[in-house]
Amino acid sequence: MTKLIDVAAVIRSKNSGPYELTFDIIFKEQAVFEDFAAKNVMTKAVFAKLYNMPESEVLSVIAFPPSKAVKITIVRPFASGALGEKDVYGAQQHGPLLTFSY
């Protein structure tokens, strides 16, 4: 098994507006990115299971070859800055990806 953290240069989350979060996985090597994308490792179903959320809340999983990246966008559990929301910038949500293996 390959640990995502070993093959990615960047794993991060961030706001994509007040109602969505985007996760970026930027790979170190083009060949590893191409293999990951070709095998369709990260799907809506896989991400939803990893984050224990309904698949319907995973809006997109997109491979972006120019930057050797996979981008995942989800519905935010709470709007940015809303009462009860704990990460106004969405920058602390990538944790489960750090332990992901495929």
Side-chain angles (χ1 to χ4, degrees):
M1 296 204 74
T2 301
K3 292 181 180 180
L4 188 58
I5 197 166
D6 292 337
V7 296
V10 175
I11 300 173
R12 67 182 174 203
S13 61
K14 58 189 176 188
N15 282 343
S16 180
Y19 305 108
E20 297 175 356
L21 288 172
T22 292
F23 298 79
D24 298 323
I25 304 166
I26 304 171
F27 291 85
K28 296 175 186 176
E29 298 177 20
Q30 186 71 30
V32 175
F33 161 74
E34 289 173 1
D35 184 58
F36 187 90
K39 290 181 178 173
N40 207 23
V41 173
M42 187 59 63
T43 63
K44 288 182 177 184
V46 168
F47 192 87
K49 184 176 180 182
L50 183 64
Y51 276 80
N52 194 30
M53 63 188 303
E55 188 175 338
S56 61
E57 292 184 5
V58 181
L59 301 176
S60 64
V61 177
I62 299 170
F64 191 68
S67 58
K68 302 180 297 210
V70 173
K71 298 182 72 69
I72 302 109
T73 302
I74 67 168
V75 174
R76 260 182 155 286
F78 293 94
S80 180
L83 185 63
E85 194 272 330
K86 298 176 182 169
D87 183 10
V88 72
Y89 298 112
Q92 305 300 316
Q93 305 305 310
H94 58 284
L97 290 171
L98 300 176
T99 59
F100 181 74
S101 295
Y102 64 97

